[in-house]
Amino acid sequence: MEVSCTDSSHHGTSPAQNKRELLASSAMAASGWINGKVKAVPSGDTLVIMGRAKAETLPPEKSITLSSIIAPRLALRYGSDEPFAWDSREFLRKLCIGQDVKFKVEYIIPASGREFGRVYLAGDQNIASLVVAQGFAKVKQQRQKGDTSPYVTELLRLEEIARDQGLGCWSKEPGAVEASVRILPSLTIAEANPSGTKGFVAEMKGKALQAIVEQVRDGSTIRVYLIPSFSFVQVYVAGVQAPSMGRRLPSVVAQKEVTNNVDADGKASRDAQEPPILGTLQKPVASAVTYSEIPPDRFGKEAKHFTETKVLNREVRIILEGTDSFDNMFASVYYSDGNTAKDLALELAENGFAKYMEWSANMLGAETKRKLKNAELQAKKEQLRIWTGFQPPVTNTTAIHNQKFTGKVIEVVNGYCIIVADDILPGGSPSAERRVNLSSIRPPKLVDSFGESKTIEHFACAAKEFLRTRLIGKQVHVSMEYSRRINISNRQVAANKTNIVDDKILDYGSVFLPPHVGSSGNLLGANVAELLLSRGCADITRHRDYEERSHHYDALLAAYSRAEKAKKGYHAKKDYPATHMNDLTTVPAKKARDFFHLLQRNKRHSAVVEYIFSGHRFKLTMPNETSTIAFSFSCVRCPGKNEPYSDDAIALMRRTILQRDVEIEIEAVDRTGTFLGSLWESKNNMAYVLLQSGLAKLSSFGLDRISEAQTLIRAEKYAQQKKLKVWENYNEAEVIPQRSLAGQNGKETFKVIVTEVIGGGMFYAQIVGDRRLDNIRQELASMKFNDASDTLIAEDFSYTLSDTLEVQPEHTPSDTSEVGVEPKNHVVPLRFKWSSLFKDEVDTLKDEIPPVGTSEAEDLAANVPSDVVPFNPTKGDVVLAQFTVDNSWKRAMNRKSSNVISSESIIK
């Protein structure tokens, strides 16, 4: 094999310097001297030297035997070395391996092809002279005396000095010769160990074994001597597999063809089916054995060369990891690169010389597996060596680049998805609230007896509660990483390149708590996904090789491994009792009213806001009572759906109380089963916040039940004066404002008409001179009746009857006789654009519409407009009715189930 001259045109040198080095190399080559690097040291007097290759080509190699000297011979596999043979090889190995040298071939033996020459280290140190001076080689006898060259003369002089000093093989110490003989074991590891190879690996697993690599079979398979036993073993590098170097397969070719071996029935005879049986000493003349060569895989030679340059004839540290079904030993191999210990498997994967093998990588630790996997992914992206031309398949994931923002968490959708309000975008912007799915984690799954994978509800709820308590209302840093197309019908990853309507794009990212809150030491703070994994409340997503994943996937895997090892959360494999909540939002209103009496035992209750129906109506969970209720502010109403500022009110409540811990006082329950009362978050009355922001109006009906009524009145008055939101068209000159019960000096005098005495110093009254009373009377008088339908039809009113239940004519019937109400005076609920006071009543009355198909329903459909809902008062209902005695409208209570209302119960 020819060795080319040194190519010195490497990075970091100037063109002039490259030219000078090239000229020097050319001159050296012309004189017979060649530069190279020692790749291997087979014995005490032989070196394998390789040249410097260009680009991705393999360098040429030469095996040079040091001329004029001879070293003791090593045993090949079994038996014994010559005295000092191993010491001689070790001296030369440590002196030359990996070193830059220059050499010159002096002569070649034609019969064997062996090349002999001189080799010099840097600084013109003759390697043969160094070996002879240490007594590890002898100078060959010269054939003709007197024909000794100065080179040989110097070697003889050094040999004489070593002999006189008793160095190396010239040692005169008793027993030194016997001690220098290396006796190789005659038994293999499997034969020497009673339990075989598996037993040996099990005994030595995790222990560091010192070894010297003697041969490299391929990039991921080496053969070593274990020190000090000198057991010769073949070791496969765990976690990776390099391309094959090819092999020879024997093939048997029959020399004679069997013919006419068909019997009379057309079946092959036994002689044709079975080959002849040969004796143990018989020469197999019936067949000849040939070999077929299987060429090396692509980059197989390059991978082998890479491993040789790193570990061949070098000391390595081997940690046995396990065996396969064929008793092949797999181990982690570490070698020294200066003062750094490097993992051979990791180096092969990083440079694109080996593939990651999951089955053997499972023998390794989680951290090592992550490094190998990431190294392979990076090599794929860079298309290094074996990954040249690699094209990852089309996936359902797409990387998201340069999307980072800071915001406040306003909702936890589930244990693995949150909604964050971006600080940069305005609150009313549709994109202000961004849904973020936590990257690379998923709910823990459990495979049932039928083989179906189901989410463990206990830990799904635990994950959601953990995020709620840690994140709601907190500032977080979000780094968006990738998106994935999901089929929303079954929550599975959608097929590639589909345009199904049910597909939805979900965005995934990493969420970090502020640094002062986190405990991980990360500058970004604690990774929320990592916190969930470390508590065993989530499972890690096993991404395919080419899928996008969290940029912090290594940390997530480490957290998952710690939780799994400590058996935290669902890793404990325990059964957890299901938590049952009594949902009063789906039961009849009567059950909610029965529950109201139980809540009266305590004044205040702790709750969590689960959902925002509107600005003033919510769904609350009461953990102490294990119940879920519908809750609404007393006397406070926000704009309805599709009305101006309705979305603003909902947005305000979402950002201030959604999924927060709150306190409530329940004062009453309405006909729909909705509980009425007050709500505080961090000691802030949220009705006050709505009123002060101009997103709600205050109703005086039932205001006396509220302990903080005066605070609410002041909040509404402030919004009116500032003309905020719903009060933007407010004109104080046109409307008599509701005056505070506490004027100057704490007192204010009014002339009123008492309309109802509740008892105990509580009564309802009308302020004399309030112009709204006249307006109400006029509108009531203008109502038209549809006798055919026996239904009261409300005309289009342009005002809001916020005080309808407190309206009273100046003269009230004083008799207590029963007053008959004609059928045509049946009362119906008012339209939605009337006073919000009636909205809950209307919602309840919708449930009382006659069933479809009955005669009542048909009559109603034929005669009543589509926006009118019929109402048949039942016993105890408070209604607005026109009395035929004086044709006046009064508030009344139905005392019987018939259409007779007792005037004694008129509460107007």
Side-chain angles (χ1 to χ4, degrees):
M1 179 182 293
E2 259 183 56
V3 180
S4 62
C5 298
T6 304
D7 182 9
S8 304
S9 57
H10 53 81
H11 297 290
T13 58
S14 64
Q17 183 179 356
N18 291 338
K19 186 176 182 180
R20 288 194 298 270
E21 291 181 355
L22 185 60
L23 292 175
S25 299
S26 301
M28 184 176 294
S31 61
W33 291 96
I34 303 173
N35 285 339
K37 178 178 287 188
V38 178
K39 179 181 178 181
V41 181
S43 65
D45 58 3
T46 306
L47 301 173
V48 176
I49 305 174
M50 62 179 181
R52 290 184 172 85
K54 298 180 180 180
E56 294 292 331
T57 60
L58 292 176
E61 296 179 2
K62 273 186 179 295
S63 178
I64 302 297
T65 301
L66 300 178
S67 59
S68 303
I69 67 171
I70 184 170
R73 292 185 178 182
L74 292 167
L76 295 179
R77 182 65 61 86
Y78 308 109
S80 302
D81 297 334
E82 291 183 356
F84 295 99
W86 179 255
D87 295 335
S88 174
R89 203 289 295 267
E90 283 298 281
F91 171 79
L92 187 61
R93 181 185 68 82
K94 294 177 182 179
L95 176 68
C96 298
I97 193 70
Q99 299 295 319
D100 291 328
V101 296
K102 65 178 181 179
F103 67 96
K104 180 180 181 180
V105 177
E106 295 184 329
Y107 61 93
I108 302 175
I109 298 179
S112 62
R114 292 182 64 184
E115 298 179 284
F116 292 80
R118 303 180 192 180
V119 183
Y120 288 82
L121 290 171
D124 291 335
Q125 296 182 16
N126 189 337
I127 294 178
S129 299
L130 296 175
V131 173
V132 171
Q134 294 296 322
F136 290 124
K138 297 180 180 179
V139 180
K140 290 182 180 179
Q141 295 291 334
Q142 301 300 311
R143 293 182 180 180
Q144 296 180 0
K145 295 183 179 179
D147 192 20
T148 305
S149 66
Y151 171 73
V152 174
T153 303
E154 177 64 18
L155 292 178
L156 292 173
R157 186 184 69 83
L158 295 173
E159 182 185 49
E160 186 67 24
I161 295 174
R163 182 187 296 110
D164 294 341
Q165 295 180 353
L167 299 177
C169 58
W170 309 109
S171 177
K172 301 176 183 179
E173 296 182 5
V177 174
E178 292 78 7
S180 67
V181 177
R182 185 185 58 145
I183 302 176
L184 299 180
S186 59
L187 300 178
T188 63
I189 290 290
E191 296 169 343
N193 196 290
S195 302
T197 304
K198 292 186 183 297
F200 174 77
V201 173
E203 179 185 356
M204 307 303 294
K205 183 176 176 61
K207 298 179 181 179
L209 303 178
Q210 299 300 321
I212 296 176
V213 179
E214 291 296 314
Q215 184 182 352
V216 175
R217 197 191 76 170
D218 57 50
S220 58
T221 309
I222 59 177
R223 291 166 180 159
V224 303
Y225 277 125
L226 297 180
I227 304 300
S229 65
F230 290 103
S231 296
F232 191 75
V233 296
Q234 179 169 279
V235 175
Y236 293 83
V237 180
V240 296
Q241 182 177 357
S244 171
M245 278 296 296
R247 52 180 174 165
R248 299 176 63 192
L249 290 179
S251 59
V252 179
V253 180
Q255 293 182 349
K256 297 181 180 181
E257 294 183 2
V258 180
T259 59
N260 299 325
N261 288 319
V262 180
D263 59 15
D265 296 332
K267 297 180 179 179
S269 64
R270 184 179 183 276
D271 294 338
Q273 296 175 2
E274 297 181 3
I277 301 175
L278 302 179
T280 56
L281 299 178
Q282 184 179 354
K283 186 177 181 180
V285 296
S287 64
V289 179
T290 62
Y291 292 91
S292 59
E293 295 283 345
I294 297 180
D297 292 341
R298 182 164 169 254
F299 288 99
K301 293 181 179 180
E302 289 81 352
K304 178 184 178 183
H305 174 73
F306 178 84
T307 301
E308 287 175 338
T309 58
K310 301 298 181 183
V311 299
L312 182 59
N313 287 152
R314 288 171 168 84
E315 297 176 6
V316 296
R317 182 165 54 94
I318 292 178
I319 299 179
L320 297 178
E321 305 291 355
T323 60
D324 62 7
S325 57
F326 299 98
D327 285 347
N328 294 316
M329 290 191 292
F330 288 79
S332 298
V333 179
Y334 298 92
Y335 66 93
S336 297
D337 185 7
N339 296 325
T340 306
K342 290 190 175 182
D343 185 355
L344 179 60
L346 185 60
E347 292 296 311
L348 286 169
E350 285 180 345
N351 289 276
F353 286 121
K355 297 179 180 179
Y356 173 79
M357 301 300 293
E358 182 73 29
W359 68 270
S360 63
N362 289 333
M363 304 176 185
L364 307 173
E367 182 69 20
T368 305
K369 287 178 61 178
R370 283 195 300 275
K371 290 181 179 179
L372 291 177
K373 188 67 175 177
N374 291 340
E376 185 192 53
L377 289 175
Q378 188 62 31
K380 285 181 177 179
K381 291 180 180 179
E382 298 178 5
Q383 297 192 356
L384 298 177
R385 278 86 185 197
I386 63 174
W387 305 115
T388 301
F390 172 78
Q391 293 295 331
V394 178
T395 68
N396 294 295
T397 59
T398 305
I400 299 177
H401 302 287
N402 301 323
Q403 284 197 24
K404 297 181 180 181
F405 64 94
T406 302
K408 180 184 291 186
V409 179
I410 61 175
E411 183 180 356
V412 176
V413 179
N414 52 50
Y416 318 95
C417 176
I418 63 176
I419 295 178
V420 183
D422 195 337
D423 289 342
I424 299 178
L425 300 176
S429 173
S431 59
E433 295 184 2
R434 304 185 61 175
R435 183 181 293 258
V436 181
N437 296 276
L438 299 180
S439 297
S440 299
I441 67 170
R442 62 183 182 181
K445 301 286 185 177
L446 180 66
V447 179
D448 59 14
S449 57
F450 299 99
E452 296 182 359
S453 180
K454 296 182 178 179
T455 301
I456 306 177
E457 293 296 334
H458 174 81
F459 293 104
C461 295
K464 181 177 181 180
E465 181 62 15
F466 173 78
L467 294 187
R468 187 191 71 82
T469 55
R470 292 294 296 269
L471 298 184
I472 282 295
K474 300 291 195 310
Q475 288 290 123
V476 295
H477 302 286
V478 181
S479 175
M480 303 305 297
E481 294 165 336
Y482 63 92
S483 61
R484 169 175 285 181
R485 188 168 65 251
I486 300 292
N487 189 294
I488 59 178
S489 61
N490 55 15
R491 302 299 296 176
Q492 299 297 321
V493 177
N496 294 342
K497 298 183 180 179
T498 57
N499 293 318
I500 303 176
V501 178
D502 291 337
D503 286 358
K504 183 179 181 181
I505 302 297
L506 301 182
D507 293 335
Y508 292 78
S510 294
V511 179
F512 299 89
L513 290 169
H516 64 276
V517 177
S519 57
S520 65
N522 191 344
L523 295 177
L524 291 174
N527 189 336
V528 173
E530 185 178 349
L531 294 177
L532 285 172
L533 288 169
S534 63
R535 286 161 174 76
C537 294
D539 192 8
I540 192 77
T541 301
R542 272 75 177 179
H543 294 282
R544 288 177 287 181
D545 294 347
Y546 39 81
E547 284 185 336
E548 297 293 335
R549 64 194 65 200
S550 171
H551 297 165
H552 309 276
Y553 194 68
D554 291 350
L556 299 184
L557 283 173
Y560 175 83
S561 299
R562 291 194 301 268
E564 185 179 30
K565 186 177 181 179
K567 297 188 180 300
K568 291 185 178 181
Y570 84 96
H571 300 291
K573 309 297 182 184
K574 295 181 180 179
D575 294 330
Y576 294 87
T579 302
H580 299 284
M581 297 296 292
N582 183 22
D583 193 353
L584 297 178
T585 62
T586 60
V587 299
K590 184 178 180 302
K591 189 171 182 180
R593 287 194 291 268
D594 295 339
F595 188 71
F596 170 70
H597 300 291
L598 299 176
L599 297 178
Q600 294 299 304
R601 297 176 182 177
N602 298 324
K603 184 177 180 181
R604 287 199 179 188
H605 300 271
S606 298
V608 178
V609 181
E610 294 292 341
Y611 190 77
I612 307 291
F613 294 112
S614 65
H616 64 272
R617 195 165 182 267
F618 324 108
K619 182 179 180 180
L620 306 182
T621 295
M622 305 176 68
N624 295 336
E625 285 75 21
T626 63
S627 299
T628 302
I629 65 171
F631 178 86
S632 180
F633 290 128
S634 291
C635 306
V636 176
R637 292 295 179 267
C638 295
K641 186 177 181 181
N642 298 327
E643 293 182 359
Y645 304 111
S646 172
D647 294 339
D648 292 353
I650 294 175
L652 177 61
M653 291 296 98
R654 280 177 58 82
R655 298 200 176 199
T656 51
I657 66 171
L658 181 59
Q659 294 185 331
R660 308 284 184 94
D661 293 320
V662 298
E663 286 188 337
I664 59 172
E665 280 187 9
I666 297 178
E667 299 152 2
V669 60
D670 66 8
R671 291 171 49 83
T672 65
T674 300
F675 293 84
L676 307 177
S678 302
L679 182 147
W680 291 266
E681 194 278 325
S682 300
K683 299 182 180 181
N684 295 323
N685 190 326
M686 299 314 299
Y688 175 87
V689 174
L690 281 171
L691 290 167
Q692 191 178 44
S693 302
L695 294 173
K697 291 184 178 181
L698 188 63
S699 172
S700 60
F701 179 71
L703 192 61
D704 55 289
R705 296 193 303 259
I706 304 176
S707 59
E708 299 183 6
Q710 300 306 316
T711 303
L712 301 184
I713 293 173
R714 288 194 298 269
E716 185 184 48
K717 194 170 184 179
Y718 171 83
Q720 290 173 344
Q721 293 174 352
K722 298 291 185 179
K723 294 186 177 183
L724 301 176
K725 308 291 180 155
V726 298
W727 302 108
E728 60 185 354
N729 297 322
Y730 175 75
N731 192 340
E732 190 172 3
E734 296 180 0
V735 183
I736 300 177
Q738 294 182 2
R739 289 170 288 182
S740 173
L741 298 178
Q744 295 180 353
N745 299 326
K747 296 180 181 180
E748 191 169 355
T749 303
F750 296 93
K751 185 177 181 180
V752 299
I753 297 174
V754 177
T755 61
E756 180 185 358
V757 177
I758 299 176
M762 299 179 64
F763 60 89
Y764 284 94
Q766 295 176 350
I767 300 174
V768 176
D770 193 337
R771 288 178 293 177
R772 288 177 295 175
L773 296 178
D774 297 333
N775 294 334
I776 293 173
R777 292 192 191 99
Q778 292 174 8
E779 295 294 346
L780 289 174
S782 66
M783 284 185 175
K784 296 180 180 180
F785 299 93
N786 188 340
D787 295 336
S789 63
D790 291 337
T791 307
L792 177 63
I793 306 301
E795 295 295 335
D796 186 7
F797 289 92
S798 59
Y799 63 92
T800 301
L801 296 176
S802 59
D803 295 311
T804 301
L805 296 185
E806 296 185 29
V807 175
Q808 168 169 340
E810 296 181 0
H811 303 285
T812 303
S814 59
D815 59 324
T816 60
S817 61
E818 291 187 351
V819 180
V821 181
E822 295 181 5
K824 68 178 182 180
N825 297 334
H826 287 174
V827 180
V828 296
L830 304 179
R831 297 183 181 181
F832 284 162
K833 60 184 172 182
W834 281 40
S835 170
S836 57
L837 178 65
F838 296 96
K839 288 183 180 180
D840 293 333
E841 190 73 12
V842 172
D843 292 339
T844 304
L845 295 176
K846 287 181 180 179
D847 298 332
E848 301 183 13
I849 299 176
V852 177
T854 62
S855 59
E856 293 85 356
E858 292 175 357
D859 294 340
L860 183 63
N863 301 296
V864 181
S866 59
D867 58 349
V868 175
V869 182
F871 172 52
N872 296 319
T874 58
K875 183 179 179 180
D877 288 342
V878 178
V879 298
L880 180 65
Q882 185 184 34
F883 286 75
T884 57
V885 176
D886 56 0
N887 291 327
S888 63
W889 287 89
K890 297 179 176 62
R891 188 157 50 96
M893 177 184 291
N894 190 4
R895 297 294 295 273
K896 298 181 180 180
S897 59
S898 63
N899 290 329
V900 178
I901 299 178
S902 173
S903 63
E904 183 180 286
S905 63
I906 295 175
I907 59 176
K908 182 179 169 188

